[in-house]
Amino acid sequence: MTEPSFETARMQLRPLAWTDLDALVELDADPEVMRYISGGVANSREVYIRELMPRMLAWTDEPFGFFSAWLEAEFIGWFHLRPSVADPSILELGYRLRRAAWGRGLATEGSRHLVRHAFDQLGQSAVDACAHPDNLASM
């Protein structure tokens, strides 16, 4: 089985690939995007190549994983549905979006779509997520 692709009302979510590397590095280069993740420190290209991409691509044979998000053929970030860090028997939802995509309901749209997939297609009994307590927009 391979990771599915999804169409929401406004976005395309496709399985993350090595071809997304430059866009991912650019996304993380924005200190505001990384504010609640690393205190504003970017992940370097080398860190992506050595550590992050192998982890992000670990579920390519599963009906879940990491998905690059596209709006009108423009990369706007990523979403994931992966085994939870807190409880690997359930899936965890997460996302990271470019600032240009903030405040437009896109995080909600993509998240709802993946949560429906988890419950309706994958038979999950629960999905978890976490956010920094000061990140009210993600809550």
Side-chain angles (χ1 to χ4, degrees):
M1 179 174 282
T2 59
E3 287 177 284
S5 295
F6 301 100
E7 295 275 336
T8 71
R10 297 177 288 171
M11 290 183 295
Q12 298 79 46
L13 304 178
R14 65 170 175 78
L16 196 72
W18 278 102
T19 54
D20 298 315
L21 177 62
D22 290 339
L24 294 167
V25 171
E26 181 183 334
L27 172 69
D28 286 10
D30 183 340
E32 281 302 304
V33 168
M34 300 301 287
R35 179 178 177 191
Y36 297 111
I37 300 163
S38 65
V41 177
N43 288 308
S44 69
R45 182 179 188 80
E46 293 73 30
V47 167
Y48 261 101
I49 290 169
R50 187 178 61 249
E51 298 173 28
L52 298 177
M53 289 300 285
R55 285 194 313 224
M56 295 171 95
L57 298 174
W59 298 285
T60 56
D61 292 332
E62 299 292 343
F64 51 80
F66 278 76
F67 303 92
S68 58
W70 298 83
L71 179 66
E72 299 173 0
E74 180 183 351
F75 175 86
I76 60 166
W78 57 258
F79 288 82
H80 75 57
L81 193 59
R82 67 176 184 193
S84 171
V85 173
D87 179 355
S89 70
I90 64 173
L91 295 176
E92 171 189 281
L93 172 72
Y95 57 85
R96 188 172 304 164
L97 297 176
R98 292 174 59 187
R99 246 193 293 180
W102 294 0
R104 299 168 60 186
L106 295 165
T108 300
E109 183 177 317
S111 295
R112 285 182 176 160
H113 196 88
L114 289 177
V115 167
R116 274 195 304 277
H117 173 69
F119 288 125
D120 296 347
Q121 304 300 315
L122 304 180
Q124 290 288 297
S125 60
V127 172
D128 75 0
C130 63
H132 190 284
D134 293 335
N135 190 349
L136 298 179
S138 283
M139 300 253 202

